[in-house]
């Protein structure tokens, strides 16, 4: 996590524009309804928050990340914008069970929506994280995954993997598909040359 503590100081300035439109679409796929509770897993600097807030739908957001540096950035963005109803907690996404979340937040939380953007290509044992997230979803709850995948490897694939400490060979949507109902996958607008691959969103509802 040391790398992401350091990366937090220039993460937003280097990546915000690149992923702006795709984040908008990922949030649209959440299909938010008023008063829902959302969990943003591996939330980083909280780059998804502004897109959720821009919907003007009143929801409660909980967001978690392993890196203290990323969470500090997320908190300062929340403070700067005077955003309400966003709670942060530090966690290894591989440990995200209902009891673990309760221990971290002192609340009996359950989630109508879960979003994870650019997280599963980075976190080791990502299949386990996927299962933990699905375990935290309410009945009829929806999960949205946005991540990068290299259909063919280029120089920038290697570069982005090195900078993000990620693996762009993971066919995350294929693992998600049998685990959810109403599965949907699409490619998102992004500069494929810059990110060294394609960006996809995959979504579905709790089985
Ligand atoms: C590429 S960043 C994505 C951040 C954010 N979701 C976004 O869309 O910009 C990957 C994030 O995964 C976090 N991360 C890595 N391993 C993790 C783990 N085991 N548990 C939780 N978060 C982790 C990093 O700290 C980092 O914030």
């Amino acid at each position: 996590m040391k790398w992401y503590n350091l990366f937090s100081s220039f993460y937003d300035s280097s990546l915000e524009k690149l992923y702006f439109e795709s984040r908008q679409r990922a949030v649209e796929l959440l299909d938010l309804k008023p008063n829902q509770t959302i969990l943003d897993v591996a939330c980083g600097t909280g780059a998804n928050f502004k897109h959720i807030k821009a919907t003007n739908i009143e929801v409660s957001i909980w967001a978690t990340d392993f890196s203290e540096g990323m969470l500090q950035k997320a908190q300062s963005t929340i403070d700067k914008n005077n955003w309400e109803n966003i709670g942060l907690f530090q966690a290894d996404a591989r440990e995200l069970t209902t009891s673990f979340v309760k221990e971290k937040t002192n609340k009996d939380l359950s989630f109508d929506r879960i979003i994870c953007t650019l997280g599963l290509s980075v976190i080791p044992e990502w299949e386990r994280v996927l299962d933990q997230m699905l375990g935290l979803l309410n009945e009829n709850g929806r999960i949205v995954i946005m991540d990068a995948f290299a259909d063919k490897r280029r120089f920038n694939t290697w570069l982005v993997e090195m900078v993000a400490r990620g693996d762009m060979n993971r066919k995350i949507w294929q693992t998600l598909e049998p685990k959810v109902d109403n599965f949907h996958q699409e490619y998102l607008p992004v500069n494929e040359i810059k990110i060294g691959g394609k960006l996809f969103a995959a979504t579905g509802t709790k089985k």
Side-chain angles (χ1 to χ4, degrees):
M1 270 322 93
K2 277 189 189 140
W3 166 242
Y4 270 98
N5 288 339
L6 195 69
F7 198 3
S8 66
S9 53
F10 56 96
Y11 188 90
D12 288 337
S13 52
S14 37
L15 298 180
E16 193 183 351
K17 278 193 194 134
L18 194 57
Y19 292 110
F20 191 90
E21 275 180 64
S22 22
R23 287 187 195 285
Q24 269 179 330
R25 177 62 185 149
V27 167
E28 194 181 347
L29 287 168
L30 277 175
D31 188 24
L32 295 174
K33 306 275 185 281
N35 305 315
Q36 285 182 331
T37 304
I38 304 167
L39 179 66
D40 187 340
V41 174
C43 66
T45 57
N48 295 325
F49 301 164
K50 69 161 101 46
H51 299 285
I52 297 173
K53 290 286 178 188
T55 64
N56 286 321
I57 301 170
E58 280 293 320
V59 289
S60 300
I61 305 170
W62 286 89
T64 178
D65 199 279
F66 210 6
S67 155
E68 274 176 28
M70 295 300 258
L71 286 173
Q72 276 164 15
K73 272 276 164 196
Q75 189 59 57
S76 71
T77 306
I78 294 168
D79 296 342
K80 256 186 246 158
N81 288 284
N82 289 316
W83 283 329
E84 290 182 347
N85 299 325
I86 307 183
L88 303 180
F89 63 98
Q90 189 185 12
D92 182 334
R94 293 169 290 185
E95 309 300 332
L96 283 174
T97 56
T98 308
S99 55
F100 182 85
V101 171
K102 187 174 180 182
E103 187 188 309
K104 286 280 175 177
T105 62
N106 283 323
K107 285 187 163 51
D108 259 324
L109 293 171
S110 58
F111 302 100
D112 304 299
R113 300 289 185 259
I114 296 184
I115 186 165
C116 183
T117 58
L118 309 173
L120 292 181
S121 57
V122 171
I123 305 174
E125 300 176 77
W126 60 273
E127 291 102 329
R128 180 170 149 198
V129 177
L130 198 56
D131 287 337
Q132 302 287 46
M133 291 193 289
L134 291 170
L136 289 172
L137 265 186
N138 287 339
E139 216 178 309
N140 299 318
R142 174 176 293 278
I143 186 167
V144 172
I145 307 294
M146 174 184 104
D147 224 315
F149 173 74
D151 51 341
K152 54 176 184 259
R153 297 190 65 84
R154 312 169 170 104
F155 175 74
N156 275 3
T157 313
W158 169 82
L159 192 68
V160 169
E161 283 181 336
M162 201 182 66
V163 173
R165 306 289 197 263
D167 173 2
M168 286 169 61
N169 294 309
R170 299 176 179 173
K171 294 181 178 170
I172 297 162
W173 69 91
Q174 283 188 2
T175 303
L176 178 69
E177 183 168 10
K179 294 177 186 274
V180 290
D181 286 332
N182 304 305
F183 175 79
H184 166 80
Q185 188 254 6
E186 65 183 56
Y187 289 104
L188 300 175
V190 80
N191 185 328
E192 288 185 24
I193 306 291
K194 275 199 179 159
I195 75 155
K198 289 182 180 301
L199 193 69
F200 69 87
T203 179
T205 52
K206 179 139 174 152
K207 262 196 174 169

